[in-house]
Amino acid sequence: MNRLTEKLAPWLFTIALFVIWEAVCRLFNISTITLPAPTAIYEAMVKHWWPILTNSYVTLWTTMAGFGLAVIFGLFLGIVVGWSRTIYRGLYPVMIGFNSIPKVAVVPILVIWFGIGEVPAILTAFLISFFPIVVNVATGLATMEPELEDVLRALGARKLDIMLKVGIPRAQPYFFGSLKVAITLAFVGTVVSETIAANKGIGYLMTLAGSSFQMPLVFAGLLALAVEGIVMYAVFAYIEGRMTRWAFRSSMNTAP
Amino acid sequence: MVIIDDVTLTYKGATPAVTAVRGTSLTVDHGEFAAVVGPSGCGKSTLMRLVTGLVKPTEGTVSVDGALVTGPVKIAGMAFQNANMLPWRTVIDNVMLPLEIVEPHRSRFRKHKAEYRARAEALLATVGLAGFGDRFPWELSGGMQQRASLCRSLIHEPALLMLDEPFAALDAFTREELWCVLRDLWQRLHFTVILVTHDLREAAFLADTIHVMSARPGRIVQTKKVELQRPRDLDICFEPAFTDIVHELRGKIAEVRQA
């Protein structure tokens, strides 16, 4: 396979997916209520472009707000957890337990606390996406080579020195890697919350469209979400590549 | 310079508790090149951690430079079997790492960076890495990384250099080359060295004194002065006096492995 086809492959596969989808819908004469064909979805998109756009924007900014909180809080908690073995052991079970709670179950509580609107969506996005960041940062810090720590401690380095010179730079690839996972999870959180309790956002739009059986519009909402997810993923994958180029390069050449 | 007096170290965390060294005594003079050899798993690396103050002895005392060791000694340079270069730093920044930690360099580092940089470059040149400072470690071969690691352990001019099988992962030719690099550095700077190794030729070629450790729990069972003239050349490895030493040490190690 030459380089050009390799570059075009993602587009070709996506187009192929839609073509097959369209063909299946026409071939088996599937009703629009069950599964709308891409052309029907496209029509709905063109027809309702303004509500889709405005609601997408709401979903995007609430997601980014929740994700931003998750980055700050996740980074902080990750460093705390990775700092010492005792904190690691003490806090980990609590976090696992917290992460096991389906976030759908938390939304009603958030609504009681903060009312219907953007705040529960932001918080749900935050709650669902901070966990991978914490785990990755903590793992990056905890897996430091003991010899390296010995070298620095034998020089009289304090724990803070070791963290600043080795721990934190070393955890960077873990951190940036986790952002890709976290951003997609943040979208899940926002949409879950919007579906249950909101008056704006793609989740709300889809619920509304679903209740009046406008299936093409529901699917248009899904597609809008997928596009936002892919774009944000690509942004963070790019940032990851830029920030931690050494990690990708050095893994090719494993030490002596 | 280093006095280990009747030291026992038991790792209590393990079940059953593991005694790594028992009743070990060892003295290394100022400026001396000492080597510790022994069968694998005999607690050689533990000895290093004891001397640098990274672990505390269960019994006995360790003193370095006249003072009792109670915490990390702060004057030691260390190098290990793996070069342990930080992949996000260039070679020269890796070499300068100790300067960012050890006083008085630490507080002078920002202001006098150019001066320190020149110093690191000069040191890199002495190990044959002139012009490689701005490369990243992963662009270097294993032997070159190990040279850089040696520079990192020496840049702050430590009074004590601790080497834990630093050449074990290298091929035979590179290893011999680095023996000479270390020999020249030591002859020029005259620091005290404790070299832990399982390569008897390496010990005999480089050291003034060779200490043989028994199997675990380790203790020093023999101390052998190497009376070969300095400076030594690689050809010395083929002289009878040299091979006699290696032969004798080998016999001793075979004996302690059996016991």
Side-chain angles (χ1 to χ4, degrees):
Chain A
M1 206 188 253
N2 65 36
R3 289 185 73 118
L4 186 70
T5 27
E6 207 178 308
K7 266 196 163 169
L8 288 176
W11 300 103
L12 293 175
F13 276 84
T14 314
I15 292 166
L17 178 77
F18 283 114
V19 169
I20 293 169
W21 182 351
E22 183 78 39
V24 167
C25 283
R26 282 174 188 239
L27 215 64
F28 298 101
N29 215 358
I30 295 170
S31 118
T32 316
I33 303 293
T34 317
L35 179 70
T39 41
I41 298 169
Y42 179 74
E43 258 171 50
M45 273 185 160
V46 172
K47 194 175 160 196
H48 302 285
W49 69 275
W50 181 248
I52 291 175
L53 199 69
T54 47
N55 286 299
S56 294
Y57 171 71
V58 172
T59 302
L60 183 65
W61 85 254
T62 44
T63 303
M64 291 313 288
F67 173 74
L69 284 177
V71 170
I72 296 165
F73 186 70
L75 201 54
F76 173 75
L77 198 63
I79 290 173
V80 169
V81 171
W83 192 276
S84 95
R85 196 172 288 272
T86 319
I87 301 175
Y88 186 85
R89 296 185 73 140
L91 219 51
Y92 217 74
V94 180
M95 289 198 320
I96 300 274
F98 183 79
N99 195 47
S100 315
I101 300 171
K103 298 303 172 291
V104 187
V106 185
V107 176
I109 303 174
L110 293 174
V111 170
I112 290 170
W113 286 350
F114 302 103
I116 287 177
E118 281 93 345
V119 180
I122 292 172
L123 289 178
T124 316
F126 160 68
L127 289 176
I128 209 169
S129 63
F130 89 89
F131 191 74
I133 301 179
V134 174
V135 171
N136 273 279
V137 171
T139 307
L141 294 177
T143 52
M144 202 194 307
E145 294 84 350
E147 285 97 345
L148 210 51
E149 216 177 327
D150 278 356
V151 168
L152 295 180
R153 282 181 58 209
L155 295 169
R158 290 184 297 263
K159 185 82 184 177
L160 183 66
D161 291 327
I162 297 174
M163 277 293 167
L164 290 176
K165 303 283 182 204
V166 183
I168 290 170
R170 197 184 170 288
Q172 271 181 18
Y174 293 84
F175 170 66
F176 286 107
S178 74
L179 293 188
K180 292 186 302 189
V181 180
I183 186 68
T184 47
L185 284 176
F187 274 107
V188 174
T190 310
V191 173
V192 161
S193 177
E194 282 172 354
T195 313
I196 298 173
N199 36 34
K200 273 181 210 151
I202 287 286
Y204 168 74
L205 181 74
M206 282 164 61
T207 324
L208 208 65
S211 61
S212 56
F213 293 102
Q214 288 181 277
M215 289 309 271
L217 185 54
V218 174
F219 274 80
L222 281 181
L223 278 186
L225 277 177
V227 168
E228 283 185 72
I230 292 171
V231 169
M232 291 322 289
Y233 181 94
V235 166
F236 284 101
Y238 176 75
I239 293 175
E240 181 191 17
R242 285 299 297 270
M243 297 299 287
T244 56
R245 199 175 291 165
W246 57 267
F248 291 100
R249 299 277 288 279
S250 62
S251 60
M252 291 182 199
N253 175 12
T254 37
Chain B
M1 181 70 190
V2 177
I3 301 166
I4 300 176
D5 187 19
D6 200 21
V7 161
T8 299
L9 181 87
T10 307
Y11 288 108
K12 294 212 178 66
T15 40
V18 176
T19 302
V21 292
R22 173 172 293 157
T24 298
S25 295
L26 173 75
T27 307
V28 181
D29 292 332
H30 205 91
E32 186 181 347
F33 199 128
V36 178
V37 297
S40 58
C42 71
K44 290 174 295 200
S45 302
T46 302
L47 206 65
M48 288 214 15
R49 292 169 59 87
L50 278 167
V51 172
T52 45
L54 295 172
V55 288
K56 284 192 185 106
T58 318
E59 284 166 45
T61 55
V62 180
S63 55
V64 171
D65 211 11
L68 211 61
V69 173
T70 51
V73 292
K74 303 187 183 184
I75 58 156
M78 292 177 101
F80 297 87
Q81 183 172 339
N82 289 327
N84 283 317
M85 294 276 113
L86 306 178
W88 56 90
R89 284 172 170 242
T90 57
V91 171
I92 198 140
D93 285 336
N94 264 290
V95 170
M96 290 195 291
L97 179 66
L99 301 175
E100 296 170 26
I101 290 169
V102 178
E103 293 290 359
H105 312 296
R106 185 195 181 105
S107 32
R108 298 180 69 230
F109 189 76
R110 269 172 205 280
K111 270 191 183 167
H112 302 263
K113 189 153 185 191
E115 176 193 317
Y116 282 125
R117 212 186 144 79
R119 189 161 135 188
E121 259 161 12
L123 190 58
L124 280 172
T126 61
V127 300
L129 284 181
F132 283 93
D134 292 322
R135 302 282 190 94
F136 281 92
W138 70 77
E139 298 174 301
L140 269 55
S141 70
M144 287 157 99
Q145 288 189 30
Q146 202 58 356
R147 284 165 205 248
S149 171
L150 213 53
C151 288
R152 182 177 63 189
S153 61
L154 287 169
I155 186 77
H156 56 299
E157 293 174 358
L160 178 63
L161 180 64
M162 307 291 297
L163 301 172
D164 190 354
E165 302 189 3
F167 312 131
L170 304 174
D171 66 274
F173 299 112
T174 313
R175 193 181 309 156
E176 290 183 356
E177 220 177 295
L178 287 191
W179 289 355
C180 298
V181 168
L182 179 59
R183 173 198 64 194
D184 296 342
L185 283 171
W186 176 74
Q187 252 155 11
R188 198 158 57 83
L189 303 170
H190 267 292
F191 40 82
T192 310
V193 188
I194 298 182
L195 168 71
V196 167
T197 179
H198 53 229
D199 184 342
L200 300 175
R201 292 172 66 241
E202 179 173 303
F205 177 71
L206 287 166
D208 296 318
T209 319
I210 301 172
H211 305 272
V212 182
M213 271 184 104
S214 70
R216 180 179 290 237
R219 63 198 171 79
I220 306 294
V221 289
Q222 190 188 8
T223 296
K224 169 114 191 122
K225 286 264 173 219
V226 182
E227 308 283 2
L228 304 168
Q229 87 287 355
R230 299 237 184 222
R232 293 173 195 163
D233 191 75
L234 270 179
D235 289 336
I236 206 171
C237 301
F238 303 99
E239 282 175 20
F242 183 90
T243 45
D244 283 351
I245 295 170
V246 173
H247 206 159
E248 187 191 332
L249 291 170
R250 203 183 171 286
K252 189 72 194 173
I253 290 195
E255 186 185 305
V256 296
R257 279 186 66 184
Q258 304 251 309

